[in-house]
Amino acid sequence: MQTLTLIRPDDMHLHLRDGDALRAVLPFTARQMGRAVIMPNLKPPVVSVADALAYQQRIQAALPAGSRFQPLMTLYLTDKTTPALVREAKAAGIVAFKLYPAGATTNSDSGVTDLFKLLPVLQEMAAQQLLFLVHGEVTDPEIDIFDREAVFIERILQPVLAQVPDLKVVFEHITTAEAAQLVMAAGNNVAASVTPQHLLLNRNDLLVGGIRPHHYCLPVLKRENHRRALVAAVTGDKAHKFFLGTDSAPHAQHAKENACGCAGMFSAHAAIELYAEIFERAGALDKLEAFASKNGARFYGLPENSDTITLLKQPQTIMSSIAYGHEKLVPMRAGETVAWTVRYDN
């Protein structure tokens, strides 16, 4: 049987929610990841250092006994964020601020309305070497939803990088050839996280044969040429600029299967297995460890994890649903198979 041993990976973009939902989904990530960058879009959002440290304590309290998993905390950027808060965050061990353009995705109502008014804050982030995590979409209603990432690059990201050239930016969950090209052409201060869904699926998987609500995420799935461009980027000559970030986002089944279903896909149950399938299909299994375990740690200035995990080339059938507090959630690939399985000792 084929086996693949990797330095334990990190998930550099993860949603854990809170309360019963947190307790339901955290064990999946804690079992296979060493660390995860925790997104701050709770209700209410994580906007202060006190908020982040309290949330970190709740995550740690929900960990399975003996877990060595480490949550890396972020703050939610708002129109009211100040340079003083950036300095406070740095001193407290916060790793980044997250940009949600107002109205762009789940729980983004408190997001930024005009990023250019926050240039002093971004300059302080650069000075403090705090990372700037970007949900890269414009929200103008006249812009087609499939074009919002490309327009964001032109209107916002490129001008910001020109005005704050030392800002360390993660272009999160990129979905387009334009985003991949920007990251590859930019300096070493720009990198990107890439999700399993945007490497595996295109918009046909969302729309053909009827709308599939469990494939609805934001940024939305794009054309096949964009999916192929992302696979080429994470396996190509500039692959060191891309890393694992699942954007795993749990939602109750009834909230997805709804007249106005919410955006997000839950992939934490089989994250590294899904990525292994992607890299195997691309003939690049030898590049999976760097993507999953090295590139993100290096960009965040962290040591690589000291232990390993082992994958077996052994198909597994994904459960049809997962208990989610008093509700259920439907995971990515529910009821179907994944080609790889992590070998756990317990």
Side-chain angles (χ1 to χ4, degrees), residues 279-291:
F279 277 74
E280 182 181 33
R281 288 182 186 178
L285 270 176
D286 59 319
K287 296 185 176 182
L288 176 61
E289 184 178 57
F291 175 82

Side-chain angles (χ1 to χ4, degrees), residues 138 140 143 147-157:
V138 296
D140 309 51
I143 302 299
D147 297 329
R148 288 180 174 183
E149 186 172 276
V151 173
F152 178 89
I153 292 169
E154 179 183 354
R155 290 186 183 178
I156 298 174
L157 187 53

Side-chain angles (χ1 to χ4, degrees), residues 220-242:
V220 71
L221 298 172
K222 302 298 194 299
R223 291 180 181 272
E224 173 64 7
N225 63 297
H226 292 293
R227 187 197 67 81
R228 292 185 180 185
L230 296 183
V231 173
V234 303
T235 60
D237 293 341
K238 295 290 186 73
H240 65 282
K241 304 199 76 181
F242 303 91

Side-chain angles (χ1 to χ4, degrees), residues 11 13-15 17 105-106 195-202 205-206 212-221 245-251 256 262-269 274 329-334:
D11 188 344
H13 188 117
L14 180 68
H15 298 272
R17 312 305 186 209
T105 189
T106 302
T195 75
Q197 61 263 30
H198 292 112
L199 291 166
L200 282 167
L201 306 174
N202 63 38
D205 296 294
L206 172 64
R212 302 183 65 182
H214 295 287
H215 285 172
Y216 175 51
C217 58
L218 289 172
V220 71
L221 298 172
T246 62
D247 194 22
S248 182
H251 293 280
K256 294 286 290 180
C262 55
M265 296 179 66
F266 181 76
S267 58
H269 62 292
L274 289 165
L329 68 84
V330 177
M332 187 173 177
R333 202 72 73 81

Side-chain angles (χ1 to χ4, degrees), residues 11-83:
D11 188 344
M12 309 313 275
H13 188 117
L14 180 68
H15 298 272
L16 288 174
R17 312 305 186 209
D18 213 344
D20 289 344
L22 164 64
R23 290 184 285 273
V25 301
L26 176 59
F28 293 103
T29 295
R31 198 171 192 194
Q32 58 179 232
M33 302 291 173
R35 296 167 293 218
V37 177
I38 310 301
M39 294 299 107
N41 60 330
L42 301 182
K43 283 188 172 182
V46 179
V47 298
S48 72
V49 169
D51 292 339
L53 296 182
Y55 186 29
Q56 183 179 49
Q57 289 180 347
R58 296 195 298 276
I59 294 168
Q60 291 168 335
L63 283 169
S67 175
R68 297 169 57 192
F69 172 78
Q70 181 184 2
L72 305 173
M73 306 310 295
T74 66
L75 291 184
Y76 190 116
L77 190 71
T78 75
D79 289 343
K80 297 180 180 179
T81 303
T82 65

Side-chain angles (χ1 to χ4, degrees), residues 169-223:
V169 174
V170 179
F171 200 166
E172 297 285 8
H173 43 53
I174 63 169
T175 68
T176 60
E178 291 90 341
Q181 183 57 44
L182 177 136
V183 172
M184 290 187 287
N188 290 331
N189 60 312
V190 179
S193 66
V194 194
T195 75
Q197 61 263 30
H198 292 112
L199 291 166
L200 282 167
L201 306 174
N202 63 38
R203 66 187 191 178
N204 281 359
D205 296 294
L206 172 64
L207 298 170
V208 171
I211 294 173
R212 302 183 65 182
H214 295 287
H215 285 172
Y216 175 51
C217 58
L218 289 172
V220 71
L221 298 172
K222 302 298 194 299
R223 291 180 181 272

Side-chain angles (χ1 to χ4, degrees), residues 155-170:
R155 290 186 183 178
I156 298 174
L157 187 53
Q158 288 178 325
V160 164
L161 288 171
Q163 293 183 66
V164 194
D166 296 330
L167 185 62
K168 203 166 187 180
V169 174
V170 179

Side-chain angles (χ1 to χ4, degrees), residues 67-116:
S67 175
R68 297 169 57 192
F69 172 78
Q70 181 184 2
L72 305 173
M73 306 310 295
T74 66
L75 291 184
Y76 190 116
L77 190 71
T78 75
D79 289 343
K80 297 180 180 179
T81 303
T82 65
L85 179 58
V86 174
R87 293 188 290 271
E88 183 187 357
K90 176 68 174 183
I94 305 300
V95 300
F97 280 77
K98 175 67 187 290
L99 169 67
Y100 291 100
T105 189
T106 302
N107 298 346
S108 63
D109 293 345
S110 301
V112 171
T113 58
D114 185 349
L115 185 59
F116 295 101

